[in-house]
């Protein structure tokens, strides 16, 4: 087995390979280093079976879409990933064969709803869920300190103590730890209750990563910054969110809102279906097609997508275009389906 970190910096990309069979997967590749990864694969005579992001990244542009474009492997992420570029959605317990190796998926949300950890041959790639002596921040949209505590203590800390921890980041020059060591010494987690952890994480007061909007929104939407003018941090913060029950209540009432679904056409008619009566305007076309719904500027409008991220961007764009009563459906079609509400296909 080859299990190697390929960047040599604070942001980590892992190659997992069965050298004998010539098969490999890459986890969390950076867009900036795609050529380096292709060279490493060629040097070891490895073919990529899959490219994987452990979660939606806010600090770097993902290299997965580019590697898929150049080399052809499917792009996989956890089911809650918002991006329409993902080919394969992974869930708890899924197994990914890599030659004779098996990579097993653990859903470990908290840093983001789509966070996962990958277990292979006594090693666990913990993404931005668990770091060496730390954990991933939980203050972005969709972050949840309680969920992160549950994922770490209920899943990662139940692995054998000698399981090798391979984090998605390290800012102190560490490369590996073990589950046993983190259980004993991780200052955020050792001997802390769930409520201690939530209080700690909600009071870190970190500044947002540099360039967050330049990378987060393209990673969420598979749209580049050249294609549309994304809303900034302050515009996004103003977006009002409603949950699926509140939307169902609105649909049952007399002031039925206009439903604007901003996914791609293939998603609208895909497995998650769509809400009856919703208008499809893909996010990348929204700015140019806003006139089609201009008569609703004063009326209630609800934006909808897969996971509630692209639709937050859409809600901010509509707000900027003069719409006065826009809400974003939190959790999107994933939450709607999870609540077993009615969809059309
Ligand atoms: Fe992250």
């Amino acid at each position: 087995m080859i299990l190697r970190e390929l960047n040599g910096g604070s942001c980590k990309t892992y190659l997992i390979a069965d050298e004998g069979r010539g098969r490999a997967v890459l986890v969390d590749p950076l867009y900036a280093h795609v050529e380096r990864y292709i060279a490493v694969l060629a040097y070891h005579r490895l073919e990529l079976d899959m490219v994987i992001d452990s979660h939606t990244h806010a600090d770097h542009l993902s290299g997965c879409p580019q590697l898929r474009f150049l080399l052809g492997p499917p792009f996989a992420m956890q089911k809650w990933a918002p991006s329409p570029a993902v080919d394969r959605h992974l869930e708890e317990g899924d197994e990914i064969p890599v030659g004779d190796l098996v990579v097993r998926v653990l859903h470990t949300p908290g840093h983001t709803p789509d966070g996962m950890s990958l277990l292979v041959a006594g090693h666990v790639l913990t993404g931005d869920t668990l770091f060496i002596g730390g954990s991933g921040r939980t203050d972005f949209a969709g972050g949840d300190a309680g969920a992160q505590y549950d994922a770490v203590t209920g899943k990662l800390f139940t692995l054998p103590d000698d399981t090798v921890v391979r984090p998605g980041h390290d800012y102190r020059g560490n490369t590996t730890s073990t589950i046993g060591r983190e259980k004993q010494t991780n200052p955020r987690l050792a001997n802390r209750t769930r409520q201690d952890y939530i209080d700690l994480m909600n009071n870190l007061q970190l500044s947002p990563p540099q360039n967050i909007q330049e990378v987060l929104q393209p990673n969420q939407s598979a749209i580049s910054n050249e294609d549309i003018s994304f809303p900034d941090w302050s515009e996004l913060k103003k977006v009002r969110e409603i949950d699926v029950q509140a939307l169902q209540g609105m649909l049952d009432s007399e002031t039925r809102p206009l439903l604007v679904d901003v996914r791609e056409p293939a998603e609208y008619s895909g497995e998650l279906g769509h809400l009856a009566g919703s208008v499809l305007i893909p996010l990348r076309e929204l700015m140019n097609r806003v006139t089609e719904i201009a008569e609703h500027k004063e009326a209630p409008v609800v934006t909808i997508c897969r996971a509630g991220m692209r639709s937050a961007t859409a809600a901010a764009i509509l707000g900027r275009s003069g719409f006065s009563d826009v809400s974003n459906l939190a959790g999107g079609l994933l939450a709607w389906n999870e609540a077993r509400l009615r969809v059309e296909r």
Side-chain angles (χ1 to χ4, degrees):
M1 176 175 79
I2 300 175
L3 175 48
R4 267 188 64 197
E5 198 286 309
L6 300 182
N7 301 333
S10 63
C11 187
K12 303 198 178 290
T13 298
Y14 293 96
L15 169 69
I16 303 172
D18 179 335
E19 213 177 1
R21 300 228 176 249
R23 313 305 306 183
V25 296
L26 275 173
V27 181
D28 293 333
L30 313 186
Y31 179 81
H33 289 342
V34 160
E35 288 166 20
R36 166 194 300 204
Y37 308 137
I38 293 174
V40 171
L41 292 164
Y43 178 83
H44 290 286
R45 295 195 172 83
L46 296 168
E47 275 196 53
L48 270 185
D49 283 335
M50 194 177 274
V51 286
I52 304 170
D53 271 335
S54 64
H55 64 285
T56 300
H57 296 286
D59 60 332
H60 65 262
L61 269 180
S62 169
C64 286
Q66 186 73 359
L67 284 160
R68 178 186 187 273
F69 170 71
L70 293 170
L71 304 178
F75 172 17
M77 289 186 74
Q78 203 277 335
K79 184 178 82 170
W80 279 88
S83 172
V86 173
D87 305 295
R88 175 143 179 229
H89 289 108
L90 299 169
E91 295 194 59
E92 179 79 15
D94 280 353
E95 295 187 339
I96 304 158
V98 185
D100 291 337
L101 302 168
V102 175
V103 179
R104 178 189 280 271
V105 173
L106 300 173
H107 184 207
T108 51
H111 173 63
T112 60
D114 60 2
M116 61 181 177
S117 298
L118 299 170
L119 196 55
V120 58
H123 297 251
V124 62
L125 277 54
T126 54
D128 285 8
T129 304
L130 177 67
F131 294 154
I132 298 172
S135 60
R137 60 194 294 176
T138 56
D139 56 343
F140 300 150
D144 183 334
Q148 191 173 49
Y149 184 87
D150 296 340
V152 172
T153 58
K155 293 185 184 173
L156 298 177
F157 282 1
T158 64
L159 297 171
D161 276 353
D162 61 355
T163 308
V164 180
V165 172
R166 306 236 180 201
H169 287 282
D170 189 276
Y171 304 95
R172 303 181 199 103
N174 302 306
T175 52
T176 62
S177 179
T178 62
I179 288 294
R181 200 172 109 202
E182 293 309 309
K183 266 200 284 200
Q184 295 293 319
T185 65
N186 190 305
R188 289 200 182 159
L189 289 145
N191 304 314
R192 284 192 195 265
T193 65
R194 189 174 195 273
Q195 192 58 48
D196 292 341
Y197 187 73
I198 292 170
D199 294 342
L200 173 80
M201 295 305 284
N202 290 349
N203 289 295
L204 290 178
Q205 297 185 335
L206 303 165
S207 48
Q210 269 182 343
N211 310 327
I212 174 166
Q213 294 312 329
E214 284 83 354
V215 300
L216 184 56
Q217 295 190 68
N219 283 346
Q220 289 173 348
S221 65
I223 300 171
S224 82
N225 287 299
E226 285 90 64
D227 292 334
I228 73 172
S229 149
F230 283 112
D232 63 24
W233 186 252
S234 65
E235 287 176 283
L236 279 174
K237 277 199 153 167
K238 281 188 240 155
V239 170
R240 183 173 66 215
E241 303 238 303
I242 57 167
D243 64 19
V244 292
Q245 275 75 27
L247 178 55
Q248 183 61 63
M250 286 171 84
L251 294 175
D252 293 338
S253 77
E254 283 178 6
T255 50
R256 229 187 113 83
L258 174 71
L259 305 176
V260 181
D261 191 318
V262 299
R263 293 175 299 163
E264 299 296 315
E267 297 176 275
Y268 188 80
S269 53
E271 53 164 348
L272 296 176
H274 56 265
L275 273 70
S278 57
V279 180
L280 174 66
I281 308 181
L283 179 58
R284 71 177 73 242
E285 299 170 12
L286 183 61
M287 285 199 296
N288 294 329
R289 293 179 56 187
V290 85
T291 49
E292 293 174 26
I293 54 169
E295 78 233 45
H296 296 269
K297 275 195 174 174
E298 313 299 328
V301 174
V302 176
T303 55
I304 302 173
C305 68
R306 175 182 174 81
M309 299 297 177
R310 280 176 280 165
S311 53
T313 299
I317 288 172
L318 290 178
R320 186 201 275 168
S321 312
F323 285 73
S324 60
D325 186 3
V326 186
S327 306
N328 172 39
L329 178 63
L333 259 305
L334 284 166
W336 188 263
N337 275 276
E338 203 151 87
R340 298 180 187 282
L341 295 165
R342 207 171 68 82
V343 294
E344 289 188 348
R345 287 196 173 81

